[in-house]
Amino acid sequence: MSVRVRRIYDPPEPDDGLRVLVDRLWPRGLAKDAAHVDEWPKGLTPSTELRRWFHAGEGSFEEFRRRYEAELAAPEAAELLDGLGESARKGPVTLLTASRTPEQSHASVLAQLLEG
C-alpha cells in the first residue's frame, strides 16, 4: 500500500496516483484546474471546531490526533476512510494538504491510519 502526504502547492508528479485533497477549505490562491485533485472527501477532514482548537495552539499534536481519530470513527467518516483505504490497496494515493507542516497535520494522521 502506497500512501504519501504532499503539499497541494507542489506540482503534481507522475507517481502521485489518486490525488486526494484532505482539507475542508479550498487552498488559497490555487486554481482548481491547476490542483489536479481527483477527490475531495470533506467528510474526512477535521471538524471546524477541532481545526480551530488546534490552530489556536491550545493543545498538543498528540491530543489533536486523539480527537481527530475519534471524529474519524463516526459512521460517515469511517465509510470514507474505508473507501480511501480500498483505493490505496489498488494503487498509490497522495493526500494533499495546504498545511505548512504536513508531518504535523491531519493528513499525516490519515496516512498512518491508511497504512495501518
Side-chain angles (χ1 to χ4, degrees), residues 35-69:
H36 302 281
V37 170
D38 297 310
E39 294 181 12
W40 187 14
K42 293 180 186 178
L44 278 179
T45 64
S47 66
T48 300
E49 297 79 20
L50 181 57
R51 186 174 44 83
R52 287 181 180 160
W53 172 84
F54 183 60
H55 291 300
E58 295 179 16
S60 69
F61 182 70
E62 289 309 314
E63 178 64 14
F64 169 78
R65 173 191 302 276
R66 187 187 67 71
R67 292 181 183 194
Y68 182 41
E69 287 177 354

PDB file of all heavy atoms in Angstrom, residues 35-69:
ATOM      1  N   ALA A  35      -4.754  22.328  -9.598  1.00  0.00           N
ATOM      2  CA  ALA A  35      -4.503  21.472  -8.445  1.00  0.00           C
ATOM      3  C   ALA A  35      -4.460  19.986  -8.798  1.00  0.00           C
ATOM      4  O   ALA A  35      -3.856  19.197  -8.082  1.00  0.00           O
ATOM      5  CB  ALA A  35      -5.578  21.698  -7.388  1.00  0.00           C
ATOM      6  N   HIS A  36      -5.120  19.605  -9.869  1.00  0.00           N
ATOM      7  CA  HIS A  36      -5.167  18.195 -10.286  1.00  0.00           C
ATOM      8  C   HIS A  36      -5.647  17.291  -9.155  1.00  0.00           C
ATOM      9  O   HIS A  36      -5.020  16.284  -8.835  1.00  0.00           O
ATOM     10  CB  HIS A  36      -3.808  17.735 -10.810  1.00  0.00           C
ATOM     11  CG  HIS A  36      -3.314  18.548 -11.961  1.00  0.00           C
ATOM     12  ND1 HIS A  36      -3.774  18.361 -13.248  1.00  0.00           N
ATOM     13  CD2 HIS A  36      -2.420  19.571 -12.019  1.00  0.00           C
ATOM     14  CE1 HIS A  36      -3.177  19.226 -14.049  1.00  0.00           C
ATOM     15  NE2 HIS A  36      -2.358  19.976 -13.326  1.00  0.00           N
ATOM     16  N   VAL A  37      -6.775  17.664  -8.560  1.00  0.00           N
ATOM     17  CA  VAL A  37      -7.356  16.898  -7.467  1.00  0.00           C
ATOM     18  C   VAL A  37      -8.372  15.916  -8.038  1.00  0.00           C
ATOM     19  O   VAL A  37      -9.242  16.294  -8.814  1.00  0.00           O
ATOM     20  CB  VAL A  37      -8.045  17.840  -6.439  1.00  0.00           C
ATOM     21  CG1 VAL A  37      -8.864  17.061  -5.439  1.00  0.00           C
ATOM     22  CG2 VAL A  37      -7.001  18.693  -5.740  1.00  0.00           C
ATOM     23  N   ASP A  38      -8.241  14.646  -7.651  1.00  0.00           N
ATOM     24  CA  ASP A  38      -9.169  13.623  -8.117  1.00  0.00           C
ATOM     25  C   ASP A  38     -10.381  13.494  -7.192  1.00  0.00           C
ATOM     26  O   ASP A  38     -11.481  13.216  -7.643  1.00  0.00           O
ATOM     27  CB  ASP A  38      -8.463  12.268  -8.214  1.00  0.00           C
ATOM     28  CG  ASP A  38      -7.330  12.287  -9.233  1.00  0.00           C
ATOM     29  OD1 ASP A  38      -7.561  12.735 -10.373  1.00  0.00           O
ATOM     30  OD2 ASP A  38      -6.219  11.863  -8.872  1.00  0.00           O
ATOM     31  N   GLU A  39     -10.151  13.642  -5.879  1.00  0.00           N
ATOM     32  CA  GLU A  39     -11.229  13.527  -4.900  1.00  0.00           C
ATOM     33  C   GLU A  39     -11.045  14.585  -3.820  1.00  0.00           C
ATOM     34  O   GLU A  39      -9.922  14.986  -3.516  1.00  0.00           O
ATOM     35  CB  GLU A  39     -11.230  12.135  -4.248  1.00  0.00           C
ATOM     36  CG  GLU A  39     -11.568  11.017  -5.188  1.00  0.00           C
ATOM     37  CD  GLU A  39     -11.593   9.657  -4.502  1.00  0.00           C
ATOM     38  OE1 GLU A  39     -11.579   9.600  -3.250  1.00  0.00           O
ATOM     39  OE2 GLU A  39     -11.633   8.647  -5.224  1.00  0.00           O
ATOM     40  N   TRP A  40     -12.185  14.982  -3.230  1.00  0.00           N
ATOM     41  CA  TRP A  40     -12.161  15.956  -2.136  1.00  0.00           C
ATOM     42  C   TRP A  40     -13.206  15.527  -1.108  1.00  0.00           C
ATOM     43  O   TRP A  40     -14.283  16.116  -1.008  1.00  0.00           O
ATOM     44  CB  TRP A  40     -12.432  17.349  -2.667  1.00  0.00           C
ATOM     45  CG  TRP A  40     -12.281  18.456  -1.681  1.00  0.00           C
ATOM     46  CD1 TRP A  40     -11.686  18.420  -0.449  1.00  0.00           C
ATOM     47  CD2 TRP A  40     -12.719  19.811  -1.848  1.00  0.00           C
ATOM     48  NE1 TRP A  40     -11.728  19.646   0.153  1.00  0.00           N
ATOM     49  CE2 TRP A  40     -12.363  20.525  -0.691  1.00  0.00           C
ATOM     50  CE3 TRP A  40     -13.394  20.478  -2.861  1.00  0.00           C
ATOM     51  CZ2 TRP A  40     -12.652  21.870  -0.524  1.00  0.00           C
ATOM     52  CZ3 TRP A  40     -13.666  21.816  -2.693  1.00  0.00           C
ATOM     53  CH2 TRP A  40     -13.297  22.512  -1.532  1.00  0.00           C
ATOM     54  N   PRO A  41     -12.916  14.500  -0.317  1.00  0.00           N
ATOM     55  CA  PRO A  41     -13.882  13.992   0.667  1.00  0.00           C
ATOM     56  C   PRO A  41     -13.891  14.828   1.952  1.00  0.00           C
ATOM     57  O   PRO A  41     -13.170  14.542   2.909  1.00  0.00           O
ATOM     58  CB  PRO A  41     -13.385  12.568   0.922  1.00  0.00           C
ATOM     59  CG  PRO A  41     -11.905  12.660   0.714  1.00  0.00           C
ATOM     60  CD  PRO A  41     -11.709  13.696  -0.357  1.00  0.00           C
ATOM     61  N   LYS A  42     -14.708  15.854   1.969  1.00  0.00           N
ATOM     62  CA  LYS A  42     -14.734  16.770   3.116  1.00  0.00           C
ATOM     63  C   LYS A  42     -15.117  16.067   4.416  1.00  0.00           C
ATOM     64  O   LYS A  42     -14.763  16.516   5.495  1.00  0.00           O
ATOM     65  CB  LYS A  42     -15.683  17.922   2.839  1.00  0.00           C
ATOM     66  CG  LYS A  42     -15.195  18.828   1.731  1.00  0.00           C
ATOM     67  CD  LYS A  42     -16.171  19.953   1.479  1.00  0.00           C
ATOM     68  CE  LYS A  42     -15.758  20.762   0.270  1.00  0.00           C
ATOM     69  NZ  LYS A  42     -16.714  21.829  -0.011  1.00  0.00           N
ATOM     70  N   GLY A  43     -15.805  14.930   4.307  1.00  0.00           N
ATOM     71  CA  GLY A  43     -16.186  14.189   5.499  1.00  0.00           C
ATOM     72  C   GLY A  43     -15.009  13.554   6.227  1.00  0.00           C
ATOM     73  O   GLY A  43     -15.151  13.078   7.348  1.00  0.00           O
ATOM     74  N   LEU A  44     -13.829  13.543   5.604  1.00  0.00           N
ATOM     75  CA  LEU A  44     -12.623  13.011   6.245  1.00  0.00           C
ATOM     76  C   LEU A  44     -11.797  14.098   6.932  1.00  0.00           C
ATOM     77  O   LEU A  44     -10.819  13.798   7.592  1.00  0.00           O
ATOM     78  CB  LEU A  44     -11.720  12.323   5.217  1.00  0.00           C
ATOM     79  CG  LEU A  44     -12.062  10.903   4.844  1.00  0.00           C
ATOM     80  CD1 LEU A  44     -11.081  10.382   3.801  1.00  0.00           C
ATOM     81  CD2 LEU A  44     -12.057  10.008   6.055  1.00  0.00           C
ATOM     82  N   THR A  45     -12.209  15.330   6.765  1.00  0.00           N
ATOM     83  CA  THR A  45     -11.416  16.429   7.325  1.00  0.00           C
ATOM     84  C   THR A  45     -11.807  16.679   8.787  1.00  0.00           C
ATOM     85  O   THR A  45     -12.915  16.351   9.205  1.00  0.00           O
ATOM     86  CB  THR A  45     -11.628  17.716   6.509  1.00  0.00           C
ATOM     87  OG1 THR A  45     -12.991  18.122   6.618  1.00  0.00           O
ATOM     88  CG2 THR A  45     -11.277  17.494   5.041  1.00  0.00           C
ATOM     89  N   PRO A  46     -10.884  17.245   9.553  1.00  0.00           N
ATOM     90  CA  PRO A  46     -11.233  17.566  10.942  1.00  0.00           C
ATOM     91  C   PRO A  46     -12.393  18.559  10.991  1.00  0.00           C
ATOM     92  O   PRO A  46     -12.541  19.397  10.099  1.00  0.00           O
ATOM     93  CB  PRO A  46      -9.963  18.210  11.502  1.00  0.00           C
ATOM     94  CG  PRO A  46      -8.874  17.829  10.567  1.00  0.00           C
ATOM     95  CD  PRO A  46      -9.515  17.615   9.231  1.00  0.00           C
ATOM     96  N   SER A  47     -13.191  18.464  12.027  1.00  0.00           N
ATOM     97  CA  SER A  47     -14.292  19.408  12.188  1.00  0.00           C
ATOM     98  C   SER A  47     -13.745  20.829  12.312  1.00  0.00           C
ATOM     99  O   SER A  47     -12.575  21.033  12.668  1.00  0.00           O
ATOM    100  CB  SER A  47     -15.100  19.070  13.443  1.00  0.00           C
ATOM    101  OG  SER A  47     -14.300  19.274  14.601  1.00  0.00           O
ATOM    102  N   THR A  48     -14.592  21.784  12.023  1.00  0.00           N
ATOM    103  CA  THR A  48     -14.187  23.181  12.147  1.00  0.00           C
ATOM    104  C   THR A  48     -13.740  23.487  13.567  1.00  0.00           C
ATOM    105  O   THR A  48     -12.730  24.165  13.778  1.00  0.00           O
ATOM    106  CB  THR A  48     -15.355  24.103  11.734  1.00  0.00           C
ATOM    107  OG1 THR A  48     -15.694  23.805  10.372  1.00  0.00           O
ATOM    108  CG2 THR A  48     -14.994  25.565  11.875  1.00  0.00           C
ATOM    109  N   GLU A  49     -14.450  22.952  14.538  1.00  0.00           N
ATOM    110  CA  GLU A  49     -14.101  23.198  15.941  1.00  0.00           C
ATOM    111  C   GLU A  49     -12.725  22.636  16.275  1.00  0.00           C
ATOM    112  O   GLU A  49     -11.915  23.301  16.920  1.00  0.00           O
ATOM    113  CB  GLU A  49     -15.147  22.588  16.878  1.00  0.00           C
ATOM    114  CG  GLU A  49     -16.529  23.183  16.747  1.00  0.00           C
ATOM    115  CD  GLU A  49     -17.315  22.652  15.534  1.00  0.00           C
ATOM    116  OE1 GLU A  49     -16.976  21.563  14.997  1.00  0.00           O
ATOM    117  OE2 GLU A  49     -18.250  23.343  15.105  1.00  0.00           O
ATOM    118  N   LEU A  50     -12.451  21.414  15.835  1.00  0.00           N
ATOM    119  CA  LEU A  50     -11.160  20.790  16.119  1.00  0.00           C
ATOM    120  C   LEU A  50     -10.037  21.529  15.398  1.00  0.00           C
ATOM    121  O   LEU A  50      -8.968  21.773  15.970  1.00  0.00           O
ATOM    122  CB  LEU A  50     -11.172  19.313  15.715  1.00  0.00           C
ATOM    123  CG  LEU A  50      -9.882  18.541  15.976  1.00  0.00           C
ATOM    124  CD1 LEU A  50      -9.490  18.606  17.448  1.00  0.00           C
ATOM    125  CD2 LEU A  50     -10.029  17.101  15.511  1.00  0.00           C
ATOM    126  N   ARG A  51     -10.279  21.898  14.163  1.00  0.00           N
ATOM    127  CA  ARG A  51      -9.272  22.629  13.393  1.00  0.00           C
ATOM    128  C   ARG A  51      -8.932  23.951  14.063  1.00  0.00           C
ATOM    129  O   ARG A  51      -7.761  24.293  14.244  1.00  0.00           O
ATOM    130  CB  ARG A  51      -9.797  22.855  11.967  1.00  0.00           C
ATOM    131  CG  ARG A  51      -8.806  23.477  11.033  1.00  0.00           C
ATOM    132  CD  ARG A  51      -9.339  23.529   9.608  1.00  0.00           C
ATOM    133  NE  ARG A  51     -10.714  23.959   9.479  1.00  0.00           N
ATOM    134  CZ  ARG A  51     -11.103  25.242   9.461  1.00  0.00           C
ATOM    135  NH1 ARG A  51     -10.232  26.201   9.571  1.00  0.00           N
ATOM    136  NH2 ARG A  51     -12.374  25.549   9.327  1.00  0.00           N
ATOM    137  N   ARG A  52      -9.949  24.684  14.482  1.00  0.00           N
ATOM    138  CA  ARG A  52      -9.718  25.973  15.151  1.00  0.00           C
ATOM    139  C   ARG A  52      -9.002  25.785  16.477  1.00  0.00           C
ATOM    140  O   ARG A  52      -8.111  26.554  16.835  1.00  0.00           O
ATOM    141  CB  ARG A  52     -11.034  26.708  15.355  1.00  0.00           C
ATOM    142  CG  ARG A  52     -11.583  27.265  14.068  1.00  0.00           C
ATOM    143  CD  ARG A  52     -12.871  27.999  14.276  1.00  0.00           C
ATOM    144  NE  ARG A  52     -13.364  28.526  13.015  1.00  0.00           N
ATOM    145  CZ  ARG A  52     -14.606  28.881  12.795  1.00  0.00           C
ATOM    146  NH1 ARG A  52     -15.513  28.765  13.752  1.00  0.00           N
ATOM    147  NH2 ARG A  52     -14.963  29.345  11.624  1.00  0.00           N
ATOM    148  N   TRP A  53      -9.396  24.755  17.238  1.00  0.00           N
ATOM    149  CA  TRP A  53      -8.754  24.463  18.522  1.00  0.00           C
ATOM    150  C   TRP A  53      -7.260  24.205  18.322  1.00  0.00           C
ATOM    151  O   TRP A  53      -6.421  24.753  19.023  1.00  0.00           O
ATOM    152  CB  TRP A  53      -9.433  23.245  19.161  1.00  0.00           C
ATOM    153  CG  TRP A  53      -8.747  22.738  20.383  1.00  0.00           C
ATOM    154  CD1 TRP A  53      -8.893  23.195  21.661  1.00  0.00           C
ATOM    155  CD2 TRP A  53      -7.790  21.669  20.450  1.00  0.00           C
ATOM    156  NE1 TRP A  53      -8.098  22.483  22.512  1.00  0.00           N
ATOM    157  CE2 TRP A  53      -7.406  21.535  21.790  1.00  0.00           C
ATOM    158  CE3 TRP A  53      -7.231  20.815  19.507  1.00  0.00           C
ATOM    159  CZ2 TRP A  53      -6.481  20.585  22.217  1.00  0.00           C
ATOM    160  CZ3 TRP A  53      -6.318  19.875  19.921  1.00  0.00           C
ATOM    161  CH2 TRP A  53      -5.962  19.773  21.256  1.00  0.00           C
ATOM    162  N   PHE A  54      -6.931  23.373  17.341  1.00  0.00           N
ATOM    163  CA  PHE A  54      -5.533  23.018  17.110  1.00  0.00           C
ATOM    164  C   PHE A  54      -4.735  24.217  16.618  1.00  0.00           C
ATOM    165  O   PHE A  54      -3.620  24.470  17.094  1.00  0.00           O
ATOM    166  CB  PHE A  54      -5.441  21.857  16.120  1.00  0.00           C
ATOM    167  CG  PHE A  54      -4.046  21.383  15.884  1.00  0.00           C
ATOM    168  CD1 PHE A  54      -3.268  20.904  16.927  1.00  0.00           C
ATOM    169  CD2 PHE A  54      -3.488  21.396  14.619  1.00  0.00           C
ATOM    170  CE1 PHE A  54      -1.973  20.453  16.723  1.00  0.00           C
ATOM    171  CE2 PHE A  54      -2.202  20.950  14.392  1.00  0.00           C
ATOM    172  CZ  PHE A  54      -1.447  20.476  15.446  1.00  0.00           C
ATOM    173  N   HIS A  55      -5.267  24.985  15.686  1.00  0.00           N
ATOM    174  CA  HIS A  55      -4.539  26.123  15.129  1.00  0.00           C
ATOM    175  C   HIS A  55      -4.412  27.272  16.127  1.00  0.00           C
ATOM    176  O   HIS A  55      -3.539  28.120  15.969  1.00  0.00           O
ATOM    177  CB  HIS A  55      -5.169  26.587  13.818  1.00  0.00           C
ATOM    178  CG  HIS A  55      -4.972  25.599  12.714  1.00  0.00           C
ATOM    179  ND1 HIS A  55      -3.733  25.204  12.257  1.00  0.00           N
ATOM    180  CD2 HIS A  55      -5.868  24.884  11.995  1.00  0.00           C
ATOM    181  CE1 HIS A  55      -3.866  24.310  11.308  1.00  0.00           C
ATOM    182  NE2 HIS A  55      -5.148  24.093  11.119  1.00  0.00           N
ATOM    183  N   ALA A  56      -5.239  27.274  17.141  1.00  0.00           N
ATOM    184  CA  ALA A  56      -5.115  28.295  18.183  1.00  0.00           C
ATOM    185  C   ALA A  56      -3.980  27.962  19.153  1.00  0.00           C
ATOM    186  O   ALA A  56      -3.641  28.771  20.016  1.00  0.00           O
ATOM    187  CB  ALA A  56      -6.426  28.431  18.951  1.00  0.00           C
ATOM    188  N   GLY A  57      -3.402  26.771  19.005  1.00  0.00           N
ATOM    189  CA  GLY A  57      -2.293  26.375  19.856  1.00  0.00           C
ATOM    190  C   GLY A  57      -2.709  25.961  21.253  1.00  0.00           C
ATOM    191  O   GLY A  57      -1.914  26.023  22.185  1.00  0.00           O
ATOM    192  N   GLU A  58      -3.952  25.498  21.376  1.00  0.00           N
ATOM    193  CA  GLU A  58      -4.473  25.166  22.703  1.00  0.00           C
ATOM    194  C   GLU A  58      -4.093  23.770  23.172  1.00  0.00           C
ATOM    195  O   GLU A  58      -4.306  23.431  24.328  1.00  0.00           O
ATOM    196  CB  GLU A  58      -5.995  25.321  22.706  1.00  0.00           C
ATOM    197  CG  GLU A  58      -6.434  26.745  22.480  1.00  0.00           C
ATOM    198  CD  GLU A  58      -7.940  26.893  22.452  1.00  0.00           C
ATOM    199  OE1 GLU A  58      -8.655  25.983  22.895  1.00  0.00           O
ATOM    200  OE2 GLU A  58      -8.388  27.935  21.979  1.00  0.00           O
ATOM    201  N   GLY A  59      -3.564  22.946  22.299  1.00  0.00           N
ATOM    202  CA  GLY A  59      -3.245  21.586  22.705  1.00  0.00           C
ATOM    203  C   GLY A  59      -2.105  21.011  21.892  1.00  0.00           C
ATOM    204  O   GLY A  59      -1.648  21.600  20.910  1.00  0.00           O
ATOM    205  N   SER A  60      -1.661  19.846  22.283  1.00  0.00           N
ATOM    206  CA  SER A  60      -0.552  19.177  21.608  1.00  0.00           C
ATOM    207  C   SER A  60      -1.039  18.452  20.354  1.00  0.00           C
ATOM    208  O   SER A  60      -2.237  18.210  20.181  1.00  0.00           O
ATOM    209  CB  SER A  60       0.082  18.170  22.561  1.00  0.00           C
ATOM    210  OG  SER A  60      -0.820  17.095  22.795  1.00  0.00           O
ATOM    211  N   PHE A  61      -0.076  18.072  19.524  1.00  0.00           N
ATOM    212  CA  PHE A  61      -0.415  17.303  18.334  1.00  0.00           C
ATOM    213  C   PHE A  61      -0.979  15.947  18.731  1.00  0.00           C
ATOM    214  O   PHE A  61      -1.892  15.437  18.083  1.00  0.00           O
ATOM    215  CB  PHE A  61       0.803  17.149  17.419  1.00  0.00           C
ATOM    216  CG  PHE A  61       0.489  16.396  16.163  1.00  0.00           C
ATOM    217  CD1 PHE A  61      -0.316  16.959  15.186  1.00  0.00           C
ATOM    218  CD2 PHE A  61       0.982  15.121  15.957  1.00  0.00           C
ATOM    219  CE1 PHE A  61      -0.636  16.269  14.025  1.00  0.00           C
ATOM    220  CE2 PHE A  61       0.682  14.419  14.804  1.00  0.00           C
ATOM    221  CZ  PHE A  61      -0.124  14.997  13.829  1.00  0.00           C
ATOM    222  N   GLU A  62      -0.467  15.360  19.783  1.00  0.00           N
ATOM    223  CA  GLU A  62      -0.970  14.056  20.224  1.00  0.00           C
ATOM    224  C   GLU A  62      -2.435  14.145  20.668  1.00  0.00           C
ATOM    225  O   GLU A  62      -3.222  13.246  20.399  1.00  0.00           O
ATOM    226  CB  GLU A  62      -0.093  13.471  21.334  1.00  0.00           C
ATOM    227  CG  GLU A  62       1.262  13.015  20.829  1.00  0.00           C
ATOM    228  CD  GLU A  62       1.176  12.087  19.620  1.00  0.00           C
ATOM    229  OE1 GLU A  62       0.357  11.135  19.634  1.00  0.00           O
ATOM    230  OE2 GLU A  62       1.918  12.309  18.646  1.00  0.00           O
ATOM    231  N   GLU A  63      -2.788  15.234  21.346  1.00  0.00           N
ATOM    232  CA  GLU A  63      -4.193  15.420  21.735  1.00  0.00           C
ATOM    233  C   GLU A  63      -5.059  15.652  20.499  1.00  0.00           C
ATOM    234  O   GLU A  63      -6.173  15.146  20.404  1.00  0.00           O
ATOM    235  CB  GLU A  63      -4.333  16.588  22.711  1.00  0.00           C
ATOM    236  CG  GLU A  63      -5.761  16.888  23.123  1.00  0.00           C
ATOM    237  CD  GLU A  63      -6.445  15.763  23.899  1.00  0.00           C
ATOM    238  OE1 GLU A  63      -5.776  14.832  24.377  1.00  0.00           O
ATOM    239  OE2 GLU A  63      -7.684  15.822  24.022  1.00  0.00           O
ATOM    240  N   PHE A  64      -4.536  16.425  19.537  1.00  0.00           N
ATOM    241  CA  PHE A  64      -5.244  16.629  18.277  1.00  0.00           C
ATOM    242  C   PHE A  64      -5.481  15.283  17.590  1.00  0.00           C
ATOM    243  O   PHE A  64      -6.577  14.977  17.136  1.00  0.00           O
ATOM    244  CB  PHE A  64      -4.447  17.555  17.354  1.00  0.00           C
ATOM    245  CG  PHE A  64      -4.979  17.597  15.949  1.00  0.00           C
ATOM    246  CD1 PHE A  64      -6.095  18.347  15.634  1.00  0.00           C
ATOM    247  CD2 PHE A  64      -4.373  16.848  14.939  1.00  0.00           C
ATOM    248  CE1 PHE A  64      -6.604  18.368  14.338  1.00  0.00           C
ATOM    249  CE2 PHE A  64      -4.864  16.861  13.643  1.00  0.00           C
ATOM    250  CZ  PHE A  64      -5.984  17.628  13.355  1.00  0.00           C
ATOM    251  N   ARG A  65      -4.433  14.457  17.529  1.00  0.00           N
ATOM    252  CA  ARG A  65      -4.536  13.141  16.897  1.00  0.00           C
ATOM    253  C   ARG A  65      -5.639  12.310  17.558  1.00  0.00           C
ATOM    254  O   ARG A  65      -6.465  11.713  16.889  1.00  0.00           O
ATOM    255  CB  ARG A  65      -3.205  12.398  16.992  1.00  0.00           C
ATOM    256  CG  ARG A  65      -3.279  10.951  16.506  1.00  0.00           C
ATOM    257  CD  ARG A  65      -2.018  10.169  16.852  1.00  0.00           C
ATOM    258  NE  ARG A  65      -0.832  10.768  16.298  1.00  0.00           N
ATOM    259  CZ  ARG A  65      -0.404  10.562  15.045  1.00  0.00           C
ATOM    260  NH1 ARG A  65      -1.080   9.758  14.252  1.00  0.00           N
ATOM    261  NH2 ARG A  65       0.677  11.139  14.615  1.00  0.00           N
ATOM    262  N   ARG A  66      -5.654  12.290  18.889  1.00  0.00           N
ATOM    263  CA  ARG A  66      -6.650  11.512  19.619  1.00  0.00           C
ATOM    264  C   ARG A  66      -8.061  11.984  19.280  1.00  0.00           C
ATOM    265  O   ARG A  66      -8.947  11.188  18.980  1.00  0.00           O
ATOM    266  CB  ARG A  66      -6.396  11.613  21.126  1.00  0.00           C
ATOM    267  CG  ARG A  66      -7.290  10.696  21.948  1.00  0.00           C
ATOM    268  CD  ARG A  66      -7.141  10.945  23.432  1.00  0.00           C
ATOM    269  NE  ARG A  66      -7.643  12.250  23.850  1.00  0.00           N
ATOM    270  CZ  ARG A  66      -8.942  12.591  23.888  1.00  0.00           C
ATOM    271  NH1 ARG A  66      -9.863  11.738  23.526  1.00  0.00           N
ATOM    272  NH2 ARG A  66      -9.304  13.797  24.284  1.00  0.00           N
ATOM    273  N   ARG A  67      -8.270  13.300  19.289  1.00  0.00           N
ATOM    274  CA  ARG A  67      -9.593  13.854  18.994  1.00  0.00           C
ATOM    275  C   ARG A  67      -9.994  13.616  17.534  1.00  0.00           C
ATOM    276  O   ARG A  67     -11.154  13.329  17.235  1.00  0.00           O
ATOM    277  CB  ARG A  67      -9.620  15.352  19.304  1.00  0.00           C
ATOM    278  CG  ARG A  67      -9.519  15.656  20.781  1.00  0.00           C
ATOM    279  CD  ARG A  67      -9.566  17.138  21.028  1.00  0.00           C
ATOM    280  NE  ARG A  67      -9.412  17.457  22.436  1.00  0.00           N
ATOM    281  CZ  ARG A  67      -9.686  18.643  22.948  1.00  0.00           C
ATOM    282  NH1 ARG A  67     -10.126  19.627  22.187  1.00  0.00           N
ATOM    283  NH2 ARG A  67      -9.510  18.856  24.240  1.00  0.00           N
ATOM    284  N   TYR A  68      -9.029  13.746  16.637  1.00  0.00           N
ATOM    285  CA  TYR A  68      -9.317  13.550  15.219  1.00  0.00           C
ATOM    286  C   TYR A  68      -9.656  12.082  14.935  1.00  0.00           C
ATOM    287  O   TYR A  68     -10.597  11.780  14.192  1.00  0.00           O
ATOM    288  CB  TYR A  68      -8.125  14.018  14.386  1.00  0.00           C
ATOM    289  CG  TYR A  68      -8.312  13.907  12.896  1.00  0.00           C
ATOM    290  CD1 TYR A  68      -9.518  14.231  12.273  1.00  0.00           C
ATOM    291  CD2 TYR A  68      -7.270  13.489  12.087  1.00  0.00           C
ATOM    292  CE1 TYR A  68      -9.681  14.143  10.909  1.00  0.00           C
ATOM    293  CE2 TYR A  68      -7.412  13.395  10.717  1.00  0.00           C
ATOM    294  CZ  TYR A  68      -8.625  13.720  10.137  1.00  0.00           C
ATOM    295  OH  TYR A  68      -8.776  13.624   8.774  1.00  0.00           O
ATOM    296  N   GLU A  69      -8.913  11.166  15.531  1.00  0.00           N
ATOM    297  CA  GLU A  69      -9.214   9.753  15.346  1.00  0.00           C
ATOM    298  C   GLU A  69     -10.610   9.424  15.875  1.00  0.00           C
ATOM    299  O   GLU A  69     -11.307   8.589  15.298  1.00  0.00           O
ATOM    300  CB  GLU A  69      -8.148   8.875  16.007  1.00  0.00           C
ATOM    301  CG  GLU A  69      -6.845   8.876  15.227  1.00  0.00           C
ATOM    302  CD  GLU A  69      -5.748   8.074  15.892  1.00  0.00           C
ATOM    303  OE1 GLU A  69      -5.928   7.593  17.038  1.00  0.00           O
ATOM    304  OE2 GLU A  69      -4.689   7.927  15.265  1.00  0.00           O
TER     305      GLU A  69
END
